[in-house]
Amino acid sequence: MIREEVVVIVGAGQSGLATAACLTVLSVPCLILERDDCIGSLWRNRCYDRVHLHLHKQYSELPHAPYPPSAPAFLSKWDFIRYLDDYAARFCLRVSLRCAVEAAEYDEATGRWRIVARNNAEDGGGVEEYAARYLVVASGENNEAVVPEIPGLEGFDGPIVHSSQFQSGSEFSGKAVLVVGCGNSGMEVALDVAECGARSTCIVVRSQLHIVSREIWAVAMLLMRFLPCRLLDAFILLLCYLKFGDLSKYGLHRPSKGPMYLKKYTPTYPVVDIGTVKKIKSGEIQVVPSIKDIKDNYVTFSNGSRKNFDAIILATGYKSTVKNWLKDDDHIIGEDGMAKQIFPNHWKGKKRLYCAGLARRGIYGSGEDAQSIANDIASDYHSQK
Ligand SMILES: Cc1cc2nc3c(=O)[nH]c(=O)nc-3n(C[C@H](O)[C@H](O)[C@H](O)COP(=O)(O)OP(=O)(O)OC[C@H]3O[C@@H](n4cnc5c(N)ncnc54)[C@H](O)[C@@H]3O)c2cc1C
Ligand SMILES: *[C@@H]1O[C@H](CO)[C@@H](O)[C@H](O)[C@H]1NC(C)=O
């Protein structure tokens, strides 16, 4: 049996939920298919305990749902999960849980997207088929853990944990821990591990990076509309210098382009420091260069030094796996599974295909995409009737 739908949305993260809410407000029926057994599964299941949103609540809300004045300025993971639950309930969103999309293909004859999903319900489930006039890809940037190729990693004699499985640093107290990757996750994981009493904490920093504070970044977001990028970057870097001083002596080097420039034109987002820098300065967290190889418990670094570790945490990011199931698209999703067209024209494809939340623009971007997509679908849908 093929189930007829108007709009099918793949993924019940904030992007999918926001798109569904905007469509509901515009009286367009839609159904969300979600492979996991809950909405907001990234936040619930693959996100360590101490996470707080990096952006001020003003930039972290979804369409039609401002936070109350009583909400904290920087929401915790649980605050945000509760917000998503309320959001889905308020708009009475239809979500089919445990429904993993395995293929989506455009059928020229009927003008419909044919979507095949595996139902992973406990009672056996099976394969379900849907036909929809519109298809929205909202499956997220974080589908699959990226594990780097490090010679000897598989022989390491101790736990190797990806940041998506990392819950809290308390599991590592008394241990010598190596954190690989220096994005926001790596920096925060290293801080958590150090605070929870690891014997030693090292973080591998291979590339140049910008480090800002939450407050500096909040000011930057505020000024973004008023200042040209170059001026704003100069101002941000001045504030960073006043706050952190020169970090290069600790092994942290800034790129030649500014943080706002990089956010705007590349997939790079600055690291928002919540205390790691202080621990790096005090020596509690040590910055180490890239890994050459691993033998037993010994890690050799690119500068020749060698150190013994009990555990390795890989904060090496994720990849999107949309390309595995989405057929008939050569327009909106690139080989990397992310939006192919550049902002602000990244959300609309051909054959009534859309993508939300795949332009590396965070929660704010999810909301903007949702609104654009819903407006576009609604005007087409209502003119068909
Ligand atoms: C630790 C951490 C902290 C972060 N902090 C911030 C922050 O402070 N501010 C910010 O703006 N961003 C932050 N981010 C970025 C965050 O990833 C995105 O903002 C956001 O989660 C993306 O939402 P989404 O709905 O697009 O994707 P997701 O939340 O990943 O949702 C996609 C959903 O699609 C489902 N899905 C995937 N494939 C299929 C399929 N084939 N069939 C059915 N369902 C499928 C997934 O199970 C998932 O539930 C953080 C990310 C991480 C990992
Ligand atoms: C290699 O880098 C580490 C971390 O920065 C440092 O402690 C060590 O002294 C360096 N070793 C050599 C041989 O330069």
Coordinates of all heavy atoms in Angstrom, one line a residue, residues 286-289 301 303-305, ligand 2:
Q286 N 46.7 20.4 27.9 CA 47.9 20.6 27.1 C 47.5 20.5 25.6 O 46.9 19.5 25.2 CB 49.0 19.7 27.4 CG 50.4 20.1 27.0 CD 51.4 19.1 27.1 OE1 51.2 18.0 27.6 NE2 52.6 19.4 26.5
V287 N 47.9 21.5 24.8 CA 47.7 21.4 23.4 C 48.9 20.6 22.8 O 50.0 20.9 23.0 CB 47.7 22.8 22.8 CG1 47.6 22.7 21.2 CG2 46.5 23.6 23.3
V288 N 48.5 19.6 22.0 CA 49.6 18.8 21.3 C 49.4 18.8 19.8 O 48.2 19.1 19.3 CB 49.5 17.3 21.8 CG1 50.0 17.2 23.3 CG2 48.2 16.7 21.6
P289 N 50.4 18.6 19.0 CA 50.3 18.6 17.6 C 49.7 17.3 17.0 O 49.3 16.5 17.8 CB 51.7 18.8 17.1 CG 52.6 18.3 18.2 CD 51.8 18.4 19.4
F301 N 53.6 12.0 18.4 CA 53.1 13.2 17.7 C 54.0 13.6 16.6 O 55.1 13.2 16.5 CB 52.9 14.3 18.8 CG 51.8 14.0 19.8 CD1 52.2 13.5 21.1 CD2 50.5 14.1 19.5 CE1 51.3 13.2 22.0 CE2 49.5 13.7 20.4 CZ 49.9 13.2 21.7
N303 N 55.7 16.1 16.1 CA 57.0 16.8 16.4 C 57.9 15.8 17.1 O 59.0 16.2 17.6 CB 56.8 18.0 17.3 CG 56.3 17.7 18.7 OD1 56.1 16.5 19.0 ND2 56.3 18.7 19.6
G304 N 57.5 14.5 17.1 CA 58.5 13.5 17.6 C 58.3 13.1 19.0 O 58.8 12.1 19.5
S305 N 57.5 13.9 19.8 CA 57.3 13.5 21.2 C 56.3 12.4 21.4 O 55.5 12.1 20.5 CB 56.9 14.8 22.0 OG 55.6 15.1 21.8
Ligands
LIG2 C1 56.0 18.5 21.0 O1 54.9 19.2 21.4 C2 54.5 19.1 22.7 C3 53.2 19.8 22.9 O2 53.2 21.1 22.4 C4 55.6 19.7 23.6 O3 55.2 19.6 25.0 C5 56.9 19.0 23.3 O4 57.9 19.6 24.1 C6 57.2 19.0 21.9 N1 58.4 18.1 21.6 C7 59.4 18.5 20.8 C8 60.4 17.4 20.7 O5 59.4 19.5 20.2

